[in-house]
PDB file of all heavy atoms in Angstrom:
ATOM      1  N   LEU A  33     145.392  27.945 161.055  1.00 96.00           N
ATOM      2  CA  LEU A  33     146.585  28.765 161.278  1.00 96.00           C
ATOM      3  C   LEU A  33     147.443  28.848 160.024  1.00 96.00           C
ATOM      4  O   LEU A  33     148.058  29.892 159.754  1.00 96.00           O
ATOM      5  CB  LEU A  33     147.394  28.190 162.443  1.00 96.00           C
ATOM      6  CG  LEU A  33     146.786  28.355 163.834  1.00 96.00           C
ATOM      7  CD1 LEU A  33     147.661  27.709 164.901  1.00 96.00           C
ATOM      8  CD2 LEU A  33     146.551  29.819 164.180  1.00 96.00           C
ATOM      9  N   TYR A  40     149.330  36.467 156.167  1.00 97.00           N
ATOM     10  CA  TYR A  40     150.381  37.288 156.786  1.00 97.00           C
ATOM     11  C   TYR A  40     151.653  37.291 155.909  1.00 97.00           C
ATOM     12  O   TYR A  40     152.284  38.326 155.735  1.00 97.00           O
ATOM     13  CB  TYR A  40     150.729  36.753 158.180  1.00 97.00           C
ATOM     14  CG  TYR A  40     149.652  36.950 159.237  1.00 97.00           C
ATOM     15  CD1 TYR A  40     149.779  36.398 160.506  1.00 97.00           C
ATOM     16  CD2 TYR A  40     148.512  37.688 158.966  1.00 97.00           C
ATOM     17  CE1 TYR A  40     148.821  36.581 161.475  1.00 97.00           C
ATOM     18  CE2 TYR A  40     147.533  37.870 159.934  1.00 97.00           C
ATOM     19  CZ  TYR A  40     147.686  37.309 161.175  1.00 97.00           C
ATOM     20  OH  TYR A  40     146.717  37.501 162.134  1.00 97.00           O
ATOM     21  N   ASP A  46     157.173  38.146 158.475  1.00 97.00           N
ATOM     22  CA  ASP A  46     158.011  36.962 158.690  1.00 97.00           C
ATOM     23  C   ASP A  46     157.586  36.248 159.971  1.00 97.00           C
ATOM     24  O   ASP A  46     157.195  36.892 160.950  1.00 97.00           O
ATOM     25  CB  ASP A  46     159.492  37.349 158.824  1.00 97.00           C
ATOM     26  CG  ASP A  46     160.091  37.788 157.491  1.00 97.00           C
ATOM     27  OD1 ASP A  46     159.629  37.281 156.454  1.00 97.00           O
ATOM     28  OD2 ASP A  46     161.006  38.614 157.507  1.00 97.00           O
ATOM     29  N   ALA A  47     157.761  34.934 159.977  1.00 97.00           N
ATOM     30  CA  ALA A  47     157.408  34.149 161.177  1.00 97.00           C
ATOM     31  C   ALA A  47     158.481  34.324 162.257  1.00 97.00           C
ATOM     32  O   ALA A  47     159.654  34.499 161.971  1.00 97.00           O
ATOM     33  CB  ALA A  47     157.299  32.668 160.808  1.00 97.00           C
ATOM     34  N   LEU A  48     158.043  34.313 163.501  1.00 97.00           N
ATOM     35  CA  LEU A  48     158.934  34.317 164.647  1.00 97.00           C
ATOM     36  C   LEU A  48     158.427  33.305 165.677  1.00 97.00           C
ATOM     37  O   LEU A  48     157.241  33.305 165.996  1.00 97.00           O
ATOM     38  CB  LEU A  48     158.987  35.708 165.311  1.00 97.00           C
ATOM     39  CG  LEU A  48     159.735  35.793 166.647  1.00 97.00           C
ATOM     40  CD1 LEU A  48     161.244  35.550 166.445  1.00 97.00           C
ATOM     41  CD2 LEU A  48     159.502  37.122 167.333  1.00 97.00           C
ATOM     42  N   GLU A  49     159.315  32.458 166.148  1.00 96.00           N
ATOM     43  CA  GLU A  49     158.973  31.542 167.220  1.00 96.00           C
ATOM     44  C   GLU A  49     159.907  31.839 168.399  1.00 96.00           C
ATOM     45  O   GLU A  49     161.085  31.519 168.354  1.00 96.00           O
ATOM     46  CB  GLU A  49     159.123  30.085 166.766  1.00 96.00           C
ATOM     47  CG  GLU A  49     158.608  29.089 167.753  1.00 96.00           C
ATOM     48  CD  GLU A  49     158.607  27.663 167.203  1.00 96.00           C
ATOM     49  OE1 GLU A  49     158.042  27.454 166.129  1.00 96.00           O
ATOM     50  OE2 GLU A  49     159.194  26.799 167.877  1.00 96.00           O
ATOM     51  N   SER A  50     159.385  32.494 169.416  1.00 96.00           N
ATOM     52  CA  SER A  50     160.195  32.852 170.568  1.00 96.00           C
ATOM     53  C   SER A  50     160.004  31.840 171.701  1.00 96.00           C
ATOM     54  O   SER A  50     159.098  31.000 171.646  1.00 96.00           O
ATOM     55  CB  SER A  50     159.852  34.271 171.065  1.00 96.00           C
ATOM     56  OG  SER A  50     158.507  34.327 171.461  1.00 96.00           O
ATOM     57  N   ARG A  91     155.159  32.383 179.155  1.00 93.00           N
ATOM     58  CA  ARG A  91     154.728  33.649 178.536  1.00 93.00           C
ATOM     59  C   ARG A  91     153.232  33.869 178.742  1.00 93.00           C
ATOM     60  O   ARG A  91     152.428  32.941 178.595  1.00 93.00           O
ATOM     61  CB  ARG A  91     155.107  33.690 177.061  1.00 93.00           C
ATOM     62  CG  ARG A  91     154.421  32.644 176.215  1.00 93.00           C
ATOM     63  CD  ARG A  91     155.011  32.572 174.840  1.00 93.00           C
ATOM     64  NE  ARG A  91     154.346  31.516 174.061  1.00 93.00           N
ATOM     65  CZ  ARG A  91     154.862  30.938 172.998  1.00 93.00           C
ATOM     66  NH1 ARG A  91     156.067  31.299 172.576  1.00 93.00           N
ATOM     67  NH2 ARG A  91     154.191  30.002 172.356  1.00 93.00           N
ATOM     68  N   LEU A  94     151.973  37.009 173.481  1.00 94.00           N
ATOM     69  CA  LEU A  94     153.028  36.953 172.486  1.00 94.00           C
ATOM     70  C   LEU A  94     153.627  38.340 172.190  1.00 94.00           C
ATOM     71  O   LEU A  94     154.584  38.443 171.402  1.00 94.00           O
ATOM     72  CB  LEU A  94     152.489  36.356 171.168  1.00 94.00           C
ATOM     73  CG  LEU A  94     152.010  34.895 171.251  1.00 94.00           C
ATOM     74  CD1 LEU A  94     151.409  34.460 169.933  1.00 94.00           C
ATOM     75  CD2 LEU A  94     153.158  33.971 171.643  1.00 94.00           C
ATOM     76  N   ARG A 115     156.513  40.937 161.913  1.00 97.00           N
ATOM     77  CA  ARG A 115     156.561  39.535 162.300  1.00 97.00           C
ATOM     78  C   ARG A 115     155.171  39.037 162.665  1.00 97.00           C
ATOM     79  O   ARG A 115     154.304  39.777 163.098  1.00 97.00           O
ATOM     80  CB  ARG A 115     157.540  39.306 163.442  1.00 97.00           C
ATOM     81  CG  ARG A 115     157.021  39.537 164.867  1.00 97.00           C
ATOM     82  CD  ARG A 115     156.362  38.265 165.425  1.00 97.00           C
ATOM     83  NE  ARG A 115     155.973  38.373 166.813  1.00 97.00           N
ATOM     84  CZ  ARG A 115     154.791  38.804 167.246  1.00 97.00           C
ATOM     85  NH1 ARG A 115     153.887  39.243 166.390  1.00 97.00           N
ATOM     86  NH2 ARG A 115     154.519  38.807 168.531  1.00 97.00           N
ATOM     87  N   TYR A 116     154.983  37.711 162.479  1.00 97.00           N
ATOM     88  CA  TYR A 116     153.799  37.057 163.023  1.00 97.00           C
ATOM     89  C   TYR A 116     154.245  35.893 163.887  1.00 97.00           C
ATOM     90  O   TYR A 116     155.314  35.331 163.685  1.00 97.00           O
ATOM     91  CB  TYR A 116     152.808  36.626 161.941  1.00 97.00           C
ATOM     92  CG  TYR A 116     153.276  35.504 161.034  1.00 97.00           C
ATOM     93  CD1 TYR A 116     153.075  34.170 161.370  1.00 97.00           C
ATOM     94  CD2 TYR A 116     153.918  35.776 159.822  1.00 97.00           C
ATOM     95  CE1 TYR A 116     153.486  33.138 160.543  1.00 97.00           C
ATOM     96  CE2 TYR A 116     154.334  34.758 158.992  1.00 97.00           C
ATOM     97  CZ  TYR A 116     154.122  33.442 159.347  1.00 97.00           C
ATOM     98  OH  TYR A 116     154.535  32.430 158.511  1.00 97.00           O
ATOM     99  N   ALA A 117     153.422  35.555 164.877  1.00 97.00           N
ATOM    100  CA  ALA A 117     153.736  34.470 165.799  1.00 97.00           C
ATOM    101  C   ALA A 117     152.449  33.756 166.175  1.00 97.00           C
ATOM    102  O   ALA A 117     151.396  34.359 166.308  1.00 97.00           O
ATOM    103  CB  ALA A 117     154.426  35.007 167.060  1.00 97.00           C
ATOM    104  N   MET A 118     152.557  32.449 166.332  1.00 96.00           N
ATOM    105  CA  MET A 118     151.408  31.618 166.700  1.00 96.00           C
ATOM    106  C   MET A 118     151.844  30.617 167.750  1.00 96.00           C
ATOM    107  O   MET A 118     152.913  30.031 167.620  1.00 96.00           O
ATOM    108  CB  MET A 118     150.867  30.873 165.469  1.00 96.00           C
ATOM    109  CG  MET A 118     150.456  31.767 164.338  1.00 96.00           C
ATOM    110  SD  MET A 118     150.065  30.819 162.847  1.00 96.00           S
ATOM    111  CE  MET A 118     149.528  32.160 161.758  1.00 96.00           C
ATOM    112  N   GLY A 119     151.033  30.419 168.782  1.00 95.00           N
ATOM    113  CA  GLY A 119     151.398  29.419 169.771  1.00 95.00           C
ATOM    114  C   GLY A 119     150.630  29.571 171.049  1.00 95.00           C
ATOM    115  O   GLY A 119     149.855  30.524 171.220  1.00 95.00           O
ATOM    116  N   GLN A 137     147.233  31.854 170.800  1.00 94.00           N
ATOM    117  CA  GLN A 137     147.125  33.182 170.215  1.00 94.00           C
ATOM    118  C   GLN A 137     147.808  33.193 168.854  1.00 94.00           C
ATOM    119  O   GLN A 137     148.679  32.371 168.572  1.00 94.00           O
ATOM    120  CB  GLN A 137     147.757  34.240 171.111  1.00 94.00           C
ATOM    121  CG  GLN A 137     146.907  34.585 172.332  1.00 94.00           C
ATOM    122  CD  GLN A 137     147.436  35.785 173.101  1.00 94.00           C
ATOM    123  OE1 GLN A 137     148.596  36.121 173.046  1.00 94.00           O
ATOM    124  NE2 GLN A 137     146.540  36.436 173.826  1.00 94.00           N
ATOM    125  N   CYS A 138     147.395  34.146 168.040  1.00 95.00           N
ATOM    126  CA  CYS A 138     147.940  34.296 166.696  1.00 95.00           C
ATOM    127  C   CYS A 138     148.112  35.781 166.472  1.00 95.00           C
ATOM    128  O   CYS A 138     147.124  36.511 166.337  1.00 95.00           O
ATOM    129  CB  CYS A 138     146.945  33.679 165.708  1.00 95.00           C
ATOM    130  SG  CYS A 138     147.375  33.943 163.994  1.00 95.00           S
ATOM    131  N   ASP A 139     149.359  36.258 166.486  1.00 96.00           N
ATOM    132  CA  ASP A 139     149.641  37.704 166.467  1.00 96.00           C
ATOM    133  C   ASP A 139     150.379  38.118 165.191  1.00 96.00           C
ATOM    134  O   ASP A 139     151.120  37.321 164.599  1.00 96.00           O
ATOM    135  CB  ASP A 139     150.543  38.082 167.651  1.00 96.00           C
ATOM    136  CG  ASP A 139     149.807  38.083 168.989  1.00 96.00           C
ATOM    137  OD1 ASP A 139     148.727  37.461 169.051  1.00 96.00           O
ATOM    138  OD2 ASP A 139     150.321  38.675 169.937  1.00 96.00           O
ATOM    139  N   ALA A 140     150.188  39.385 164.807  1.00 97.00           N
ATOM    140  CA  ALA A 140     151.002  39.994 163.760  1.00 97.00           C
ATOM    141  C   ALA A 140     151.286  41.431 164.203  1.00 97.00           C
ATOM    142  O   ALA A 140     150.370  42.132 164.657  1.00 97.00           O
ATOM    143  CB  ALA A 140     150.263  39.983 162.433  1.00 97.00           C
ATOM    144  N   ASP A 141     152.549  41.844 164.114  1.00 97.00           N
ATOM    145  CA  ASP A 141     152.951  43.171 164.610  1.00 97.00           C
ATOM    146  C   ASP A 141     153.983  43.798 163.659  1.00 97.00           C
ATOM    147  O   ASP A 141     154.770  43.098 163.035  1.00 97.00           O
ATOM    148  CB  ASP A 141     153.581  43.064 165.997  1.00 97.00           C
ATOM    149  CG  ASP A 141     152.618  42.512 167.040  1.00 97.00           C
ATOM    150  OD1 ASP A 141     152.418  41.295 167.046  1.00 97.00           O
ATOM    151  OD2 ASP A 141     152.079  43.306 167.813  1.00 97.00           O
ATOM    152  N   VAL A 359     148.140  43.086 166.135  1.00 96.00           N
ATOM    153  CA  VAL A 359     146.819  42.505 166.363  1.00 96.00           C
ATOM    154  C   VAL A 359     146.988  41.074 166.868  1.00 96.00           C
ATOM    155  O   VAL A 359     147.973  40.407 166.559  1.00 96.00           O
ATOM    156  CB  VAL A 359     145.996  42.532 165.063  1.00 96.00           C
ATOM    157  CG1 VAL A 359     146.561  41.537 164.033  1.00 96.00           C
ATOM    158  CG2 VAL A 359     144.520  42.246 165.319  1.00 96.00           C
TER     159      VAL A 359
END
Side-chain angles (χ1 to χ4, degrees):
L33 289 178
Y40 290 173
D46 288 330
L48 171 68
E49 188 173 307
S50 61
R91 64 190 178 201
L94 296 176
R115 85 87 174 89
Y116 68 88
M118 302 172 177
Q137 285 189 336
C138 174
D139 287 19
D141 298 78
V359 70

